[in-house]
Amino acid sequence: MPALPPFSRLFLLQFLWCFLAACASGAVPPSAVERPKTVVLPAPAPSVAVAAEPEPEPEPGTAVPVTRADPWWGEPLAPVTLVVWGDYECPFTSRHMATLEQLKQAYGPERLRIVWRHFPLAFHKNARPAHLAAQTVFRLGGPEAFWKFHRLAFANQRSLAPESFASWAAEAGVDRAAFRASFEQQQHASKIERDVEAGQAAGVRGTPATFVNGVFVSGARPIEDFRTLVNEQLRAAEDLRRSGVPQERIYAALSEQNKARAPAPTPPTAPAPEDTTVWKVPVDGSPIRGNPGALVTLVMFSDFECPFCRRAASTVDGLETKYGAQLRVVFKHNPLPFHERAEPAAELALEAKAQKGDAAFWKAYELLKTGGLEDAELAAHAKSLGLDVARAQRAIAARRHAARIERDQRLADDLQARGTPHFFINGRRLAGAQPAEKFEALIDEQIAQAAKLVAAGTPPAKVYDALQKEARAGNAPERILAPAPTKDNPGKGAKPGAKVTIQMFADFQCPFCKRVQPTIDEIIAAYPGKVRVVFRHLPLPFHKRAPLAAEASIEAFRQKGDAGFWAMAQRLWEDPSENGLGREALERHAAAIGLDVAKFGAALDSGAHRAAVEADRKLAERLHITGTPSFAINDYFLAGAQPTAHFKRLVDRALGPHDPPTKESLHGAGKPAAQPGAAQPAPAQPGAAQPAPAQPPATAGQMGAKHLLIMYAGSRRAPARVVRTRDEARALAEQVLKRAQQGARFEDLAAQYSDEPGAAARGGDLGTFSKGMMVPEFEQAVEKVAVGALSGVVETPFGFHIILRTR
């Protein structure tokens, strides 16, 4: 190669220097567009790193726009794109995720792209924080971390809480501290709102909602429906490509064509009306600031480490200035478990109250809401407050005021006041760090209402008491009357006869049962010698490997007692697939824990322990326990893999003085109990056509109906998972009624919306019943409609019903 002239050499060196400097400064975060690839020039020329042309980016389209701001899976230029609007607390979205996994396997990332959009439903109270957490993980860790978090969230829908989010983010590879800082500041909340608005504009009214290259599919449909659509779109994409449409234009072109052919979306329904429930929120010795005889009482549940509480504190200060003697403020403690310094700070504030009264508490509040929560800083606060510093430090270390804090937390639980800050203004709920205008509107309304009471003769100082007399109490824990276990039930922890026995109904193929085990061990350690955990078998019908695994665990118990049972249980939960719970795997587990494998195999072959498993299953049926894990904590009921704090509160209730269960408080109250020894229907064969259930002939005076029930927090027998308000429940019921009136199958609606256990399997069918068997409101509604006709929305103490009379 001939030598270059000096000027040319200088120009080439300058070019290379500028190019390499530009490359060095051009780093982009993982979630941004991928860096351009580099190539190496072949010999004989010197190898020089130069930038290749970046791969073309797909056009976002105008029908259902997709950008790199949305979490995605698959190749950007894949010919088919599924845009999914979902809700992390929605069981139907969870079911849809399994379908998406099958589609991924069937088509692969070269042919299929999946894009996630956020659509938390208003009546799913834990959904929005979960979506915010997922978006935070995406922004910090990119799409790979997002999908790991996404899978964990859907695998643990009963544990959607901030402490879980931080753990899942770390498991997905995101720095825990960075996640918490971003999540607590809600840095990516606007993306959630934009997705919801975009979904509503596209016609999304519920979840899941999927657009296949712009073709709308509502709900968790069978995979064959999606296969048909994807195959059609693959052919359409190939036709466009052959006609000369660039690959980066394929999604935009097809989605715009398909959207243009679709009917116009129906306008969004009006938002649910405001919750006007007045809740019973006792002052109960809590710190008070302001005029004791004020017309309006604002109760705030707060956490000294919560950034939203600090933001709301300035709003409350402004309200006190504006309303003066018309407003008093009451403080309740709810330190969240993932805020490690919140409880020590609460202890200091309560110690200030103990040493110097309410005035000292509020001085401590002013100091603590600005930060400085480490031990040395708390000591400095105690000194500036004029407290006995050594006494304050001992109080914090010994958790001297834990009982007060836990009492406030139990009240927050009963009121469904999850998260902080949470306010009740004369008993009316207002959640979160809302704008001052929201507070002012509600306070003004309450002042007007209080003025009427005063004009009618109620002393101003008694207004709050008068309002509270008619207020609705929070949800007390459900109760359960489970028989005491025997020596044939494996257990761990304290000895039999302990003050508290936790009977755990579980399934070895259930991921939630596995997840709750560390929590169970924490509870045993927290109450040494007081808590015994006993295992009850409840293999769920759709977990086909669970029954044999249950029998295997019983044989381990027979051979090696409690230690053998829990050693086997630990291995069974490790892998719920055939590799972990198949027959060969069970024998491997038996050998690993030192069982007599021949005897073990013989017990499984003969079904020696089948009756024991069936006895536990029938007990669960009589107690109306239908899911796993479920717990009887003495006579308190708890469902799901709940946080440690939820278990502790019920254990504390069981240990302390408490009222006996009432008939109304029992889990499953009002449902007919299964009769011991009653014949059970044989299980259906997979894939077999199922006959319609036989209907007995109606006798004189009998009626028949199908119904679906939408519960709300506080309605009779509503489980803890139901957190929607009464008004939200009514609005949802009206939407469902409209769908029924438009011709949707009643059985499908019952399966999708009804909160009644077993409604999906029965299609909401109640069979026949005589007069007097149902609550009056329900019975009267059935009598008013003709056979084959729909009722309106019917309210009973259980919630809101839609009824289809059948006879």
Side-chain angles (χ1 to χ4, degrees), residues 15 62 101 297 309 340 350 357 386 400 415 417 451 462 545 611 619 723 804:
F15 169 79
T62 58
E101 289 300 323
T297 297
C309 296
E340 295 177 359
L350 285 166
R400 185 175 296 157
L415 294 168
K462 297 294 183 181
R545 291 180 285 273
L619 172 61
V723 296
L804 172 64

Side-chain angles (χ1 to χ4, degrees), residues 251-328:
Y251 169 71
L254 281 176
S255 60
E256 288 160 5
Q257 288 175 16
N258 290 326
K259 191 71 172 175
R261 297 186 188 120
T266 56
T269 56
E274 185 182 6
D275 178 14
T276 57
T277 306
V278 178
W279 294 93
K280 194 176 288 295
V281 190
V283 174
D284 190 27
S286 295
I288 296 172
R289 182 162 73 180
N291 175 17
L295 297 179
V296 178
T297 297
L298 182 151
V299 180
M300 63 177 172
F301 287 85
S302 191
D303 167 318
F304 286 114
E305 197 176 345
C306 167
F308 308 114
C309 296
R310 293 172 188 167
R311 186 186 309 167
S314 61
T315 302
V316 173
D317 290 346
L319 296 172
E320 290 179 281
T321 300
K322 177 174 181 176
Y323 291 99
Q326 293 179 301
L327 179 69
R328 68 170 176 168

Side-chain angles (χ1 to χ4, degrees), residues 55-87:
E55 291 184 3
E57 280 291 304
E59 291 185 21
T62 58
V64 188
V66 173
T67 72
R68 288 298 185 98
D70 305 312
W72 77 92
W73 176 92
E75 293 297 325
L77 296 177
V80 178
T81 295
L82 271 67
V83 183
V84 182
W85 269 272
D87 174 313

